[in-house]
Amino acid sequence: MNRPIAVVTGASAGIGEATARRLAAEGFHVVLGARRLDRLQAIADGIGGTAVELDVTSAPSVEAFLDAVPAVNVLVNNAGGARGLATVAEADEEHWRWMWETNVLGTLRVTKGLLPKLIASGDGHVVSVTSIAAYEAYDNGSGYTSAKHAQSALHRTLRGELLGRPVRVTEILPGMVETDFSVNRFDGDADRAAAVYQGVTPLTADDVADVIAFAVTRPPHVNLDRIVLKPRAQASATRVHRA
């Protein structure tokens, strides 16, 4: 295989799917990881990629996934998500545990496992999709914002630890993106999820994928450390203009 290899986690829908498609169009062979293997396989077949089942909250699943990746040039840590909008006083520990396992430990497991191969590539790149919640805190979002802050800290620490190694490190921090994120957060409540974007033109998964593709196709000496992107109508996590 002569094409560079990109690994994308959480690739069965949303930003992950869009990124896999875009990187394939940029000439990468994409290894797609997610839990929904049937959907993942359909996407992989359409872009000439490789689908491998992956649950980032399971160490054995991650180990099996890593064994299926012979080499890698780009890793996109996209697997993650939110559960609920509870106050600290009413926090659901299971929701917190899932968010930390997925966003933080999931990123750690996959990144740690693929670092030797990224370094060996001679021009590796780690991209982590965090959120504006990685630098803002907002009411009723402490479980998600704390997990994203931790994921961001992990990622930014890696930037210094890899100095002198042939690996770039980019954090992508999106604001409002209309995917299945809110549906998942609200446990399948489509009406409640739709209300999040009412009166706003949010970002799309393709918008975020465009930015990721731009970052990983810069010359090897160019490192885009952090990229924050939001809809024009969004100034912060809680300041949104609705028409």
Side-chain angles (χ1 to χ4, degrees):
M1 184 184 298
N2 295 322
R3 289 182 291 165
I5 297 173
V7 170
V8 181
T9 68
S12 62
I15 293 171
E17 176 183 353
T19 299
R21 294 186 185 279
R22 181 58 191 273
L23 293 184
E26 292 286 346
F28 288 89
H29 178 87
V30 182
V31 179
L32 302 86
R35 291 172 298 172
R36 295 179 288 183
L37 187 57
D38 53 345
R39 179 171 174 78
L40 200 67
Q41 189 64 60
I43 298 167
D45 289 345
I47 63 173
T50 302
V52 182
E53 187 173 7
L54 171 64
D55 178 355
V56 298
T57 69
S58 164
S61 176
V62 172
E63 285 299 320
F65 179 83
L66 296 174
D67 288 343
V69 180
V72 60
N73 301 85
V74 172
L75 165 62
V76 181
N77 286 307
N78 172 71
R83 288 285 186 273
L85 273 173
T87 64
V88 171
E90 298 175 341
D92 183 322
E93 287 193 16
E94 286 306 312
H95 284 174
W96 274 64
R97 188 169 289 107
W98 182 88
M99 286 185 277
W100 277 73
E101 280 280 354
T102 306
N103 295 284
V104 186
L105 291 176
T107 295
L108 172 64
R109 289 183 181 111
V110 177
T111 304
K112 178 182 177 181
L114 288 179
L115 268 181
K117 294 172 184 177
L118 286 160
I119 294 169
S121 75
D123 183 20
H125 201 147
V126 178
V127 177
S128 293
V129 181
T130 62
S131 168
I132 60 170
Y135 65 89
E136 291 188 54
Y138 54 85
D139 294 354
N140 301 355
S142 59
Y144 183 63
T145 59
S146 63
K148 284 300 184 182
H149 273 68
Q151 183 189 17
S152 177
L154 183 165
H155 180 91
R156 287 181 282 114
T157 301
L158 193 64
R159 176 75 169 96
E161 291 176 349
L162 287 174
L163 276 178
R165 302 291 186 94
V167 181
R168 291 179 286 164
V169 179
T170 299
E171 182 181 2
I172 306 293
L173 302 94
M176 295 175 68
V177 186
E178 189 167 15
T179 63
D180 58 1
F181 174 87
S182 289
V183 173
N184 292 332
R185 182 173 213 167
F186 300 133
D187 199 24
D189 188 334
D191 291 339
R192 190 179 179 191
V196 173
Y197 311 106
Q198 188 171 1
V200 179
T201 301
L203 300 175
T204 67
D206 287 334
D207 294 330
V208 182
D210 283 345
V211 173
I212 293 171
F214 179 80
V216 303
T217 55
R218 296 311 87 204
H221 70 287
V222 178
N223 193 99
L224 298 174
D225 286 36
R226 304 184 88 193
I227 305 175
V228 179
L229 62 156
K230 294 177 285 196
R232 185 177 62 190
Q234 183 180 25
S236 70
T238 56
R239 293 183 62 198
V240 178
H241 175 75
R242 299 184 187 276

